[in-house]
Amino acid sequence: FSLLSHCYYKKYTMGTGRLRLRGRTSMLLNVQYKSSTRSNFTGVQTTLETEIIQRRDQARRSLLIQVYSPKSHNDLYNYCSRFGDILSMHHYQVNRNHYQENYILVEFKDVVSVDEIMSYASFVRSDYIAPVKSSVLWFRKGQVAISQKYQTKVALTVEHGYIYVNDKKILNVLSNAKSISGQIIILYETLRLTDLEIRLRFHTAQHLEQYFSGLFHNMRVLPFGSSINGFGRRKCDLDLVLVPNYSQEGNSRLVFHSKPIRHNDRTETKEFLGVLANAMYQFIPGISNVRRILEARVPIIKFHYDYTQIECDLSATNMTAVYMSELLNLYGEMDWRVRPLVTAIRVWAKRQEITTDVPGQWITNFPLTLLVLFYLQQKEILPSLKILKLHAARGDVRCTENGIDCTFLRDINKLPADFKYKLNQDSLETLLHDFFEYYSTFNFDIYGICIREGRQIQKPSHTALHITNPLETTLNVGKNVSFYELNRIISKAQDAVHTLETADKTNEDNWGIMTLLKINNVNTKNLKKLNNTKESETIKNYLENRSYEISDKFDVSEENTN
Ligand code: GTP
Ligand code: MG
């Protein structure tokens, strides 16, 4: 059991290690580091659950280290490999306070190497730091002795243009595509989260979990939302939830005295998050611009994570949000067209100012994604949640602490045959066009959308948009959308149909989805020759990865779409 020990720090004992712990400037507290226990999900492990476990383990075995330049790679490798085998090293750069900062994420083979390296690392010599140990460090200059002579055994993966994909690049790849379907796949492949971004998102969660583990036993910080549901795009926000790990309870006769935290009680959750927000702001390095959004339906702490330049939301509710991400991920896995289509529609909505980064009376990405999934149910490409519930196995049973049943089939291989071998083989171009057509004529006055049933339902309320929350059917996910905003969506969808039907296909700088995405005013003159083979390569890679679902008859090039 670890305690938060309150004490004043005098000159902190310095280690001799070259790795320095990132400390937040402060005078008072020492939150003691305690290694956190890796989560264990109960029940049958399924794809996303397994991936979450693996990613959490990977994050636990990784250190994020600030270096002077990528050239420090050899030196850092030689230093770190004294503590254990290194599996991978990833470099990226961020712009912070007008300076380029270089980071290398080092993945060790064993977690003991991380523990050992951290016990050897030191703090900066100062009275004014909050000396909190964490897995973000910086590599100070040292004698580059013999180390330089040795060749590193692990190549440095370099992420160029980390998180930023500018319009020029998008336009370049889109203008080189041969069909609208090809453009949609390329857009998805260009914007999807990279392996490094996913690693860093789990590392951020791990970073917070380490701090909280100094306060609480067995609390997990889990990423959810688009960081894990397969619909994430470069630079999308990182949604995090703080959840207790009940599965770790023992059966000892001695039980710790503890205070209750009732996450079902709004007032208590708000107070709890308020306290955490203060602690995070004061003591956790890398966290800035902390905002307490405690009056929202789901109270959250918003903050900026400086080391990755990502906006984060931390909530303390229950596992429903994670199970919702599992459901969305499952739908994305069921048919290879789902994710590219959702990406194109999300980007379209952003570019048309249907969605924005700030919440309000407009639709956000989550309900928008549900609109796409519902539409694909109508196309008989995706099954209803009712069917997934019907085919759930014993290992799929999940129920949150507050009694929300989140049971549904999680292994897509066990889907009924009708859904595995779909009759609908519409091209992405057709699906995109028909999506806009479907919603530009949908009767929102009378009907609501229900993913659970897989069909439209009589609207049970007088809100403009009704989208039944798939897991909590009494809730309306589209409740905040005003009549004005809904009409804007309909009118933009009508415009999109018109654009797709009348676009001048001979204008090579502005055709297909480029017009919809409003990215046709960038000069691509000098870029054209660079990527002539890009489309076929990207599509080939994408289809190869998805080969289990592609029918031989299907081809994404315009000439062959049916
Ligand atoms: P982006 O962050 O915009 O890329 O998409 P996202 O899917 O992560 O959406 P967002 O960050 O807005 O929300 C994160 C997750 O919270 C979603 O995936 C849902 O699981 C959940 N969520 C968001 N909005 C709602 C809502 O209105 N009702 C419910 N029940 N859950 C929501
Ligand atoms: Mg999100």
Side-chain angles (χ1 to χ4, degrees), residues 224-227 229 231 236-237 239 297 321 324-325 328 346 364-367 469 472 475 477:
F224 69 100
S226 57
S227 299
N229 67 19
F231 297 119
C236 68
D237 71 357
D239 303 292
R297 192 179 62 78
M324 183 74 84
S325 307
L328 262 54
R346 280 181 171 218
T364 58
N365 274 332
F366 172 58
N469 181 317
E472 291 174 84
L475 301 178
V477 172

PDB file of all heavy atoms in Angstrom, residues 224-227 229 231 236-237 239 297 321 324-325 328 346 364-367 469 472 475 477, ligand 1:
ATOM      1  N   PHE A 224     -10.048   5.774 -24.143  1.00  0.00           N
ATOM      2  CA  PHE A 224     -11.239   5.303 -24.847  1.00  0.00           C
ATOM      3  C   PHE A 224     -11.533   6.285 -25.985  1.00  0.00           C
ATOM      4  O   PHE A 224     -10.710   7.141 -26.284  1.00  0.00           O
ATOM      5  CB  PHE A 224     -12.439   5.119 -23.890  1.00  0.00           C
ATOM      6  CG  PHE A 224     -12.995   6.397 -23.327  1.00  0.00           C
ATOM      7  CD1 PHE A 224     -14.148   6.973 -23.867  1.00  0.00           C
ATOM      8  CD2 PHE A 224     -12.395   7.038 -22.261  1.00  0.00           C
ATOM      9  CE1 PHE A 224     -14.669   8.160 -23.363  1.00  0.00           C
ATOM     10  CE2 PHE A 224     -12.902   8.228 -21.743  1.00  0.00           C
ATOM     11  CZ  PHE A 224     -14.042   8.789 -22.300  1.00  0.00           C
ATOM     12  N   GLY A 225     -12.700   6.144 -26.610  1.00  0.00           N
ATOM     13  CA  GLY A 225     -13.048   7.051 -27.711  1.00  0.00           C
ATOM     14  C   GLY A 225     -12.189   6.779 -28.939  1.00  0.00           C
ATOM     15  O   GLY A 225     -11.688   5.665 -29.138  1.00  0.00           O
ATOM     16  N   SER A 226     -11.983   7.826 -29.736  1.00  0.00           N
ATOM     17  CA  SER A 226     -11.363   7.594 -31.036  1.00  0.00           C
ATOM     18  C   SER A 226      -9.883   7.198 -30.947  1.00  0.00           C
ATOM     19  O   SER A 226      -9.301   6.777 -31.946  1.00  0.00           O
ATOM     20  CB  SER A 226     -11.544   8.810 -31.941  1.00  0.00           C
ATOM     21  OG  SER A 226     -11.008   9.929 -31.316  1.00  0.00           O
ATOM     22  N   SER A 227      -9.270   7.289 -29.764  1.00  0.00           N
ATOM     23  CA  SER A 227      -7.884   6.817 -29.650  1.00  0.00           C
ATOM     24  C   SER A 227      -7.813   5.309 -29.781  1.00  0.00           C
ATOM     25  O   SER A 227      -6.780   4.757 -30.143  1.00  0.00           O
ATOM     26  CB  SER A 227      -7.281   7.213 -28.291  1.00  0.00           C
ATOM     27  OG  SER A 227      -7.257   8.593 -28.158  1.00  0.00           O
ATOM     28  N   ASN A 229     -10.954   3.303 -30.780  1.00  0.00           N
ATOM     29  CA  ASN A 229     -12.063   2.653 -31.491  1.00  0.00           C
ATOM     30  C   ASN A 229     -11.851   2.519 -33.006  1.00  0.00           C
ATOM     31  O   ASN A 229     -12.738   2.076 -33.725  1.00  0.00           O
ATOM     32  CB  ASN A 229     -13.404   3.337 -31.186  1.00  0.00           C
ATOM     33  CG  ASN A 229     -13.497   4.758 -31.735  1.00  0.00           C
ATOM     34  OD1 ASN A 229     -12.747   5.136 -32.625  1.00  0.00           O
ATOM     35  ND2 ASN A 229     -14.423   5.537 -31.205  1.00  0.00           N
ATOM     36  N   PHE A 231     -11.495   4.889 -35.168  1.00  0.00           N
ATOM     37  CA  PHE A 231     -11.962   6.034 -35.949  1.00  0.00           C
ATOM     38  C   PHE A 231     -11.106   7.280 -35.685  1.00  0.00           C
ATOM     39  O   PHE A 231     -11.470   8.378 -36.081  1.00  0.00           O
ATOM     40  CB  PHE A 231     -13.435   6.339 -35.652  1.00  0.00           C
ATOM     41  CG  PHE A 231     -14.362   5.214 -36.035  1.00  0.00           C
ATOM     42  CD1 PHE A 231     -15.141   4.578 -35.083  1.00  0.00           C
ATOM     43  CD2 PHE A 231     -14.437   4.775 -37.344  1.00  0.00           C
ATOM     44  CE1 PHE A 231     -15.994   3.527 -35.434  1.00  0.00           C
ATOM     45  CE2 PHE A 231     -15.274   3.728 -37.701  1.00  0.00           C
ATOM     46  CZ  PHE A 231     -16.053   3.105 -36.748  1.00  0.00           C
ATOM     47  N   CYS A 236      -6.326  13.831 -32.905  1.00  0.00           N
ATOM     48  CA  CYS A 236      -7.633  13.848 -32.235  1.00  0.00           C
ATOM     49  C   CYS A 236      -7.416  13.827 -30.726  1.00  0.00           C
ATOM     50  O   CYS A 236      -6.349  13.461 -30.248  1.00  0.00           O
ATOM     51  CB  CYS A 236      -8.503  12.670 -32.685  1.00  0.00           C
ATOM     52  SG  CYS A 236      -7.923  11.058 -32.172  1.00  0.00           S
ATOM     53  N   ASP A 237      -8.424  14.247 -29.984  1.00  0.00           N
ATOM     54  CA  ASP A 237      -8.220  14.358 -28.537  1.00  0.00           C
ATOM     55  C   ASP A 237      -8.035  12.970 -27.920  1.00  0.00           C
ATOM     56  O   ASP A 237      -8.344  11.950 -28.533  1.00  0.00           O
ATOM     57  CB  ASP A 237      -9.384  15.128 -27.877  1.00  0.00           C
ATOM     58  CG  ASP A 237     -10.684  14.329 -27.862  1.00  0.00           C
ATOM     59  OD1 ASP A 237     -10.709  13.214 -28.407  1.00  0.00           O
ATOM     60  OD2 ASP A 237     -11.678  14.813 -27.304  1.00  0.00           O
ATOM     61  N   ASP A 239      -9.223  10.720 -24.942  1.00  0.00           N
ATOM     62  CA  ASP A 239     -10.217  10.571 -23.874  1.00  0.00           C
ATOM     63  C   ASP A 239      -9.698   9.534 -22.893  1.00  0.00           C
ATOM     64  O   ASP A 239      -9.300   8.437 -23.291  1.00  0.00           O
ATOM     65  CB  ASP A 239     -11.556  10.102 -24.461  1.00  0.00           C
ATOM     66  CG  ASP A 239     -12.050  11.061 -25.531  1.00  0.00           C
ATOM     67  OD1 ASP A 239     -12.399  12.198 -25.177  1.00  0.00           O
ATOM     68  OD2 ASP A 239     -12.053  10.689 -26.721  1.00  0.00           O
ATOM     69  N   ARG A 297     -22.667  17.068 -18.424  1.00  0.00           N
ATOM     70  CA  ARG A 297     -23.386  15.827 -18.072  1.00  0.00           C
ATOM     71  C   ARG A 297     -22.385  14.782 -17.546  1.00  0.00           C
ATOM     72  O   ARG A 297     -22.622  14.123 -16.550  1.00  0.00           O
ATOM     73  CB  ARG A 297     -24.104  15.281 -19.312  1.00  0.00           C
ATOM     74  CG  ARG A 297     -25.082  14.187 -18.999  1.00  0.00           C
ATOM     75  CD  ARG A 297     -25.778  13.705 -20.265  1.00  0.00           C
ATOM     76  NE  ARG A 297     -24.853  13.135 -21.242  1.00  0.00           N
ATOM     77  CZ  ARG A 297     -24.342  11.906 -21.150  1.00  0.00           C
ATOM     78  NH1 ARG A 297     -24.672  11.124 -20.158  1.00  0.00           N
ATOM     79  NH2 ARG A 297     -23.509  11.458 -22.062  1.00  0.00           N
ATOM     80  N   ALA A 321     -18.003   3.885 -21.161  1.00  0.00           N
ATOM     81  CA  ALA A 321     -17.344   4.574 -22.281  1.00  0.00           C
ATOM     82  C   ALA A 321     -16.354   3.646 -22.981  1.00  0.00           C
ATOM     83  O   ALA A 321     -16.215   3.681 -24.210  1.00  0.00           O
ATOM     84  CB  ALA A 321     -16.635   5.814 -21.773  1.00  0.00           C
ATOM     85  N   MET A 324     -18.349   1.180 -24.974  1.00  0.00           N
ATOM     86  CA  MET A 324     -18.875   1.844 -26.177  1.00  0.00           C
ATOM     87  C   MET A 324     -17.780   1.872 -27.253  1.00  0.00           C
ATOM     88  O   MET A 324     -18.051   1.644 -28.431  1.00  0.00           O
ATOM     89  CB  MET A 324     -19.303   3.273 -25.824  1.00  0.00           C
ATOM     90  CG  MET A 324     -19.924   4.011 -26.962  1.00  0.00           C
ATOM     91  SD  MET A 324     -21.579   3.442 -27.297  1.00  0.00           S
ATOM     92  CE  MET A 324     -22.483   4.402 -26.090  1.00  0.00           C
ATOM     93  N   SER A 325     -16.548   2.137 -26.827  1.00  0.00           N
ATOM     94  CA  SER A 325     -15.438   2.139 -27.792  1.00  0.00           C
ATOM     95  C   SER A 325     -15.257   0.756 -28.386  1.00  0.00           C
ATOM     96  O   SER A 325     -14.934   0.620 -29.571  1.00  0.00           O
ATOM     97  CB  SER A 325     -14.128   2.563 -27.112  1.00  0.00           C
ATOM     98  OG  SER A 325     -14.323   3.770 -26.447  1.00  0.00           O
ATOM     99  N   LEU A 328     -17.931   0.321 -31.062  1.00  0.00           N
ATOM    100  CA  LEU A 328     -17.601   1.056 -32.289  1.00  0.00           C
ATOM    101  C   LEU A 328     -16.447   0.384 -33.028  1.00  0.00           C
ATOM    102  O   LEU A 328     -16.440   0.284 -34.254  1.00  0.00           O
ATOM    103  CB  LEU A 328     -17.262   2.517 -31.955  1.00  0.00           C
ATOM    104  CG  LEU A 328     -18.393   3.518 -32.140  1.00  0.00           C
ATOM    105  CD1 LEU A 328     -19.649   3.138 -31.400  1.00  0.00           C
ATOM    106  CD2 LEU A 328     -17.966   4.914 -31.738  1.00  0.00           C
ATOM    107  N   ARG A 346     -16.430  12.241 -41.292  1.00  0.00           N
ATOM    108  CA  ARG A 346     -15.963  13.095 -40.191  1.00  0.00           C
ATOM    109  C   ARG A 346     -15.180  14.302 -40.720  1.00  0.00           C
ATOM    110  O   ARG A 346     -15.342  15.416 -40.247  1.00  0.00           O
ATOM    111  CB  ARG A 346     -15.054  12.294 -39.248  1.00  0.00           C
ATOM    112  CG  ARG A 346     -15.803  11.417 -38.261  1.00  0.00           C
ATOM    113  CD  ARG A 346     -14.809  10.707 -37.373  1.00  0.00           C
ATOM    114  NE  ARG A 346     -15.445  10.014 -36.267  1.00  0.00           N
ATOM    115  CZ  ARG A 346     -14.944   9.930 -35.039  1.00  0.00           C
ATOM    116  NH1 ARG A 346     -13.789  10.478 -34.757  1.00  0.00           N
ATOM    117  NH2 ARG A 346     -15.584   9.295 -34.091  1.00  0.00           N
ATOM    118  N   THR A 364     -21.505  16.234 -32.647  1.00  0.00           N
ATOM    119  CA  THR A 364     -20.071  15.949 -32.479  1.00  0.00           C
ATOM    120  C   THR A 364     -19.754  14.632 -33.194  1.00  0.00           C
ATOM    121  O   THR A 364     -20.650  13.971 -33.709  1.00  0.00           O
ATOM    122  CB  THR A 364     -19.685  15.838 -30.989  1.00  0.00           C
ATOM    123  OG1 THR A 364     -20.474  14.799 -30.420  1.00  0.00           O
ATOM    124  CG2 THR A 364     -19.907  17.132 -30.242  1.00  0.00           C
ATOM    125  N   ASN A 365     -18.494  14.271 -33.190  1.00  0.00           N
ATOM    126  CA  ASN A 365     -18.067  13.096 -33.959  1.00  0.00           C
ATOM    127  C   ASN A 365     -18.724  11.789 -33.518  1.00  0.00           C
ATOM    128  O   ASN A 365     -18.977  10.917 -34.338  1.00  0.00           O
ATOM    129  CB  ASN A 365     -16.549  12.944 -33.881  1.00  0.00           C
ATOM    130  CG  ASN A 365     -15.874  13.774 -34.941  1.00  0.00           C
ATOM    131  OD1 ASN A 365     -16.457  14.031 -35.991  1.00  0.00           O
ATOM    132  ND2 ASN A 365     -14.660  14.204 -34.682  1.00  0.00           N
ATOM    133  N   PHE A 366     -18.995  11.666 -32.224  1.00  0.00           N
ATOM    134  CA  PHE A 366     -19.559  10.399 -31.752  1.00  0.00           C
ATOM    135  C   PHE A 366     -20.963  10.163 -32.331  1.00  0.00           C
ATOM    136  O   PHE A 366     -21.192   9.136 -33.000  1.00  0.00           O
ATOM    137  CB  PHE A 366     -19.527  10.362 -30.215  1.00  0.00           C
ATOM    138  CG  PHE A 366     -20.241   9.195 -29.621  1.00  0.00           C
ATOM    139  CD1 PHE A 366     -19.873   7.895 -29.946  1.00  0.00           C
ATOM    140  CD2 PHE A 366     -21.304   9.383 -28.742  1.00  0.00           C
ATOM    141  CE1 PHE A 366     -20.546   6.800 -29.399  1.00  0.00           C
ATOM    142  CE2 PHE A 366     -21.976   8.308 -28.202  1.00  0.00           C
ATOM    143  CZ  PHE A 366     -21.601   7.010 -28.523  1.00  0.00           C
ATOM    144  N   PRO A 367     -21.922  11.083 -32.140  1.00  0.00           N
ATOM    145  CA  PRO A 367     -23.233  10.862 -32.777  1.00  0.00           C
ATOM    146  C   PRO A 367     -23.163  10.819 -34.298  1.00  0.00           C
ATOM    147  O   PRO A 367     -23.924  10.075 -34.931  1.00  0.00           O
ATOM    148  CB  PRO A 367     -24.089  12.040 -32.298  1.00  0.00           C
ATOM    149  CG  PRO A 367     -23.185  12.988 -31.625  1.00  0.00           C
ATOM    150  CD  PRO A 367     -21.941  12.261 -31.254  1.00  0.00           C
ATOM    151  N   ASN A 469     -28.903   6.082 -27.444  1.00  0.00           N
ATOM    152  CA  ASN A 469     -27.613   5.573 -26.998  1.00  0.00           C
ATOM    153  C   ASN A 469     -27.653   4.043 -27.044  1.00  0.00           C
ATOM    154  O   ASN A 469     -28.517   3.434 -26.413  1.00  0.00           O
ATOM    155  CB  ASN A 469     -27.349   6.071 -25.570  1.00  0.00           C
ATOM    156  CG  ASN A 469     -26.012   5.605 -25.037  1.00  0.00           C
ATOM    157  OD1 ASN A 469     -25.632   4.452 -25.217  1.00  0.00           O
ATOM    158  ND2 ASN A 469     -25.320   6.499 -24.367  1.00  0.00           N
ATOM    159  N   GLU A 472     -27.239   2.565 -23.397  1.00  0.00           N
ATOM    160  CA  GLU A 472     -28.194   3.066 -22.392  1.00  0.00           C
ATOM    161  C   GLU A 472     -29.372   3.657 -23.150  1.00  0.00           C
ATOM    162  O   GLU A 472     -29.384   4.851 -23.458  1.00  0.00           O
ATOM    163  CB  GLU A 472     -27.540   4.142 -21.527  1.00  0.00           C
ATOM    164  CG  GLU A 472     -26.471   3.620 -20.616  1.00  0.00           C
ATOM    165  CD  GLU A 472     -25.752   4.753 -19.884  1.00  0.00           C
ATOM    166  OE1 GLU A 472     -26.251   5.214 -18.849  1.00  0.00           O
ATOM    167  OE2 GLU A 472     -24.702   5.186 -20.390  1.00  0.00           O
ATOM    168  N   LEU A 475     -31.202   7.108 -23.051  1.00  0.00           N
ATOM    169  CA  LEU A 475     -30.496   8.363 -23.340  1.00  0.00           C
ATOM    170  C   LEU A 475     -30.499   8.675 -24.838  1.00  0.00           C
ATOM    171  O   LEU A 475     -30.467   7.768 -25.665  1.00  0.00           O
ATOM    172  CB  LEU A 475     -29.047   8.290 -22.848  1.00  0.00           C
ATOM    173  CG  LEU A 475     -28.839   8.033 -21.353  1.00  0.00           C
ATOM    174  CD1 LEU A 475     -27.347   7.941 -21.047  1.00  0.00           C
ATOM    175  CD2 LEU A 475     -29.479   9.137 -20.523  1.00  0.00           C
ATOM    176  N   VAL A 477     -28.321  10.498 -27.591  1.00  0.00           N
ATOM    177  CA  VAL A 477     -26.980  11.012 -27.854  1.00  0.00           C
ATOM    178  C   VAL A 477     -27.012  12.314 -28.675  1.00  0.00           C
ATOM    179  O   VAL A 477     -26.069  13.094 -28.668  1.00  0.00           O
ATOM    180  CB  VAL A 477     -26.165   9.904 -28.583  1.00  0.00           C
ATOM    181  CG1 VAL A 477     -24.838  10.408 -29.056  1.00  0.00           C
ATOM    182  CG2 VAL A 477     -25.982   8.703 -27.681  1.00  0.00           C
TER     183      VAL A 477
HETATM  184  P1  GTP B   1     -13.088  12.632 -31.589  1.00  0.00           P
HETATM  185  O1  GTP B   1     -12.479  12.843 -30.261  1.00  0.00           O
HETATM  186  O2  GTP B   1     -13.883  13.798 -32.026  1.00  0.00           O
HETATM  187  O3  GTP B   1     -12.123  12.157 -32.612  1.00  0.00           O
HETATM  188  O4  GTP B   1     -14.168  11.419 -31.486  1.00  0.00           O
HETATM  189  P2  GTP B   1     -14.565  10.517 -30.238  1.00  0.00           P
HETATM  190  O5  GTP B   1     -15.277   9.295 -30.751  1.00  0.00           O
HETATM  191  O6  GTP B   1     -13.390  10.280 -29.351  1.00  0.00           O
HETATM  192  O7  GTP B   1     -15.637  11.410 -29.532  1.00  0.00           O
HETATM  193  P3  GTP B   1     -15.569  12.233 -28.175  1.00  0.00           P
HETATM  194  O8  GTP B   1     -14.152  12.580 -27.835  1.00  0.00           O
HETATM  195  O9  GTP B   1     -16.549  13.337 -28.295  1.00  0.00           O
HETATM  196  O10 GTP B   1     -16.135  11.199 -27.135  1.00  0.00           O
HETATM  197  C1  GTP B   1     -15.372  10.099 -26.690  1.00  0.00           C
HETATM  198  C2  GTP B   1     -16.278   8.964 -26.354  1.00  0.00           C
HETATM  199  O11 GTP B   1     -17.170   9.363 -25.322  1.00  0.00           O
HETATM  200  C3  GTP B   1     -17.173   8.495 -27.503  1.00  0.00           C
HETATM  201  O12 GTP B   1     -16.525   7.588 -28.355  1.00  0.00           O
HETATM  202  C4  GTP B   1     -18.308   7.882 -26.750  1.00  0.00           C
HETATM  203  O13 GTP B   1     -17.976   6.589 -26.331  1.00  0.00           O
HETATM  204  C5  GTP B   1     -18.432   8.792 -25.538  1.00  0.00           C
HETATM  205  N1  GTP B   1     -19.409   9.874 -25.797  1.00  0.00           N
HETATM  206  C6  GTP B   1     -19.210  11.033 -26.427  1.00  0.00           C
HETATM  207  N2  GTP B   1     -20.327  11.760 -26.496  1.00  0.00           N
HETATM  208  C7  GTP B   1     -21.265  11.048 -25.868  1.00  0.00           C
HETATM  209  C8  GTP B   1     -22.641  11.262 -25.595  1.00  0.00           C
HETATM  210  O14 GTP B   1     -23.255  12.260 -25.958  1.00  0.00           O
HETATM  211  N3  GTP B   1     -23.264  10.281 -24.900  1.00  0.00           N
HETATM  212  C9  GTP B   1     -22.625   9.159 -24.492  1.00  0.00           C
HETATM  213  N4  GTP B   1     -23.288   8.241 -23.808  1.00  0.00           N
HETATM  214  N5  GTP B   1     -21.345   8.926 -24.739  1.00  0.00           N
HETATM  215  C10 GTP B   1     -20.662   9.845 -25.416  1.00  0.00           C
END
